[in-house]
Amino acid sequence: MPGGAGVRRPDHPTTTRPTTVNGGLSGPESPDLPVAPVAPEAPEARSTPEAGRPGGGGPDHAVPGPSTAPALPADGVTAQAVLAPYLQGQAAEFLRSLRLHREHSAPSDPGGQGAEAAARALRRSARRISGSLHTFRTVLDPVWADHLRTELAWISGSLAREHAYAERLTRLLDALCRLSGAALPAARGTKPATKPGTPPATTAAARTAGAPEAQGRAVLGVGAARAGALLERQLTLARTRAHSAALQALGSSRFHAVADAVALLASDVPLAPGTTGRGAEALLEPAERAEQRLLAAVVALPADESAEPYNEAQDAAWHQARLLLRLHRYAHEVVLGAADPVLTGAGHALDLHRDAAEAAAAAAAAARTPRIAPATAYALGVLHADQRHEVEAARAVFRETWPYATAVTTS
């Protein structure tokens, strides 16, 4: 697409268009989401539910925005002076979280809450390092950056899967409880049998007409319990396997090599030949490219008129937009010292979209279980439909909260 200036809000400074000058990086980051660099994430190389997802450790996108927009580093500041402290800070956070995870992984830790919080922090720093290595690869030693980025994406995905399965199960069970306790939604494409304001029907014919709906609710009530039990068995088994895989990964020689590489990063950032001494403007071009890839991905999203809630093939474009948004946020943190607060709502909506899409896929997979009762299959079908409509709702929220109106409406 043409340059991003045509889709930016005129009052919104971006990575390459500051309004003031200060220099240096801001203080500690706020919790965030997962990152596998611009590739579809693993079943859960995902952002932790930090932004409005149950069980998260704080808002993933909730980085408080300053009263005035942060600015580019001052003239005379080198790219190394901006990028190196950021990567070293994230490396130090990675090592600190790893130490806490080992301390809290003992059987004496009640409920493993400390280990879970440490694992979230570990993934958070791994995602930021990995995303920054991807965006600013041209400034760094490319061989080193590619290798470490791949390894960090591997460990982030390994640690995230267990948490993802637990969150998915909670989401689906809550939805089943809500659906089984309320009237079923009307079939798609049908209209209510009575007009608004019409008093309740009392004739025998009317009561007979309402019998199918009551019967449907009864079938859903019976099937919901069985569907919940089936989902709990399947997702608990998947979570247990993911837990074992994560423990195996953390004890492997491969992970120890990753930890050693991050420890070296905490003291030394390998730069590309000729980068030493270059000004901070060397970071602007890769940051701008990350922004342009995001804007182009949003432009390419299916238009409202072609949106189909049950067309899972359309999900991939939305997942890609989510990953690119995360990379843009990390680049914004590196160059400007803080995440872009105007993208908080849009990022949260894409998180919800991903959660609902994966929950719907889990319900559909459970419905394909051989020899399940018809009532169980019916409940799983209703659950799948509910989650696909959650997908549609999340897309609508994204379009409402996306600050660049031109990019979201162009098709």
Side-chain angles (χ1 to χ4, degrees):
M1 60 179 279
V7 294
R8 297 188 184 98
R9 299 188 315 179
D11 62 337
H12 172 53
T14 65
T15 305
T16 56
R17 292 160 180 75
T19 55
T20 59
V21 174
N22 52 23
L25 298 174
S26 67
E29 62 170 321
S30 68
D32 171 84
L33 303 179
V35 120
V38 196
E41 29 182 35
E44 267 316 8
R46 69 200 287 141
S47 30
T48 62
E50 302 135 17
R53 294 161 59 187
D60 183 77
H61 291 274
V63 179
S67 55
T68 59
L72 292 172
D75 292 340
V77 176
T78 64
Q80 182 179 9
V82 175
L83 181 59
Y86 179 85
L87 290 175
Q88 290 169 343
Q90 296 303 323
E93 178 62 26
F94 181 96
L95 298 173
R96 189 160 43 245
S97 302
L98 178 59
R99 175 178 56 80
L100 291 174
H101 187 274
R102 288 170 175 167
E103 291 177 356
H104 290 290
S105 294
S108 57
D109 183 27
Q113 296 300 316
E116 183 178 343
R120 286 199 301 270
L122 191 66
R123 296 200 314 270
R124 193 161 55 239
S125 54
R127 289 193 308 269
R128 279 180 158 76
I129 297 172
S130 179
S132 299
L133 294 181
H134 174 82
T135 299
F136 300 104
R137 180 180 182 274
T138 56
V139 183
L140 302 163
D141 180 334
V143 176
W144 167 82
D146 290 345
H147 175 72
L148 182 56
R149 177 168 59 93
T150 300
E151 296 301 281
L152 288 172
W154 163 70
I155 193 60
S156 178
S158 299
L159 294 176
R161 288 185 183 92
E162 177 186 0
H163 181 74
Y165 286 125
E167 289 300 318
R168 199 168 303 151
L169 176 60
T170 299
R171 180 186 184 93
L172 289 170
L173 293 182
D174 288 347
L176 272 175
C177 182
R178 168 174 51 82
L179 291 168
S180 61
L184 291 177
R188 290 174 59 82
T190 63
K191 297 181 179 180
T194 58
K195 297 181 180 179
T198 303
T202 56
T203 64
R207 289 195 298 271
T208 302
E213 182 181 352
Q215 183 180 8
R217 285 198 299 269
V219 172
L220 179 58
V222 173
R226 296 175 181 174
L230 176 60
L231 288 167
E232 188 163 10
R233 286 196 304 272
Q234 292 183 345
L235 293 177
T236 299
L237 176 61
R239 180 185 182 184
T240 301
R241 290 174 175 170
H243 178 73
S244 299
L247 292 179
Q248 184 177 5
L250 289 173
S252 66
S253 58
R254 182 181 179 182
F255 176 75
H256 288 299
V258 175
D260 290 343
V262 174
L264 292 175
L265 174 61
S267 58
D268 178 49
V269 178
L271 298 175
T275 301
T276 304
R278 291 182 62 187
E281 65 275 4
L283 302 177
L284 299 183
E285 184 178 351
E288 176 73 10
R289 283 198 301 268
E291 182 181 51
Q292 292 302 316
R293 285 195 298 268
L294 168 63
L295 296 174
V298 174
V299 169
L301 291 175
D304 287 335
E305 307 80 55
S306 64
E308 299 178 12
Y310 297 99
N311 186 355
E312 284 82 357
Q314 294 183 349
D315 292 347
W318 290 86
H319 295 333
Q320 181 71 358
R322 176 181 168 274
L323 291 173
L324 292 173
L325 174 58
R326 188 193 310 135
L327 288 177
H328 168 64
R329 290 174 47 241
Y330 295 162
H332 200 281
E333 287 182 9
V334 171
V335 176
L336 299 182
D340 189 350
V342 304
L343 294 177
T344 297
H348 179 52
L350 291 178
D351 288 344
L352 294 178
H353 176 277
R354 187 272 316 278
D355 291 345
E358 293 181 347
R368 291 191 290 269
T369 302
R371 297 183 298 278
I372 59 175
T376 306
Y378 174 72
L380 290 170
V382 172
L383 180 60
H384 174 265
D386 174 76
Q387 292 302 300
R388 291 308 304 180
H389 281 284
E390 290 291 324
V391 167
E392 188 176 26
R395 293 176 182 177
V397 172
F398 172 79
R399 295 185 186 280
E400 292 171 0
T401 56
W402 179 250
Y404 312 128
T406 302
V408 82
T409 57
T410 303
S411 58

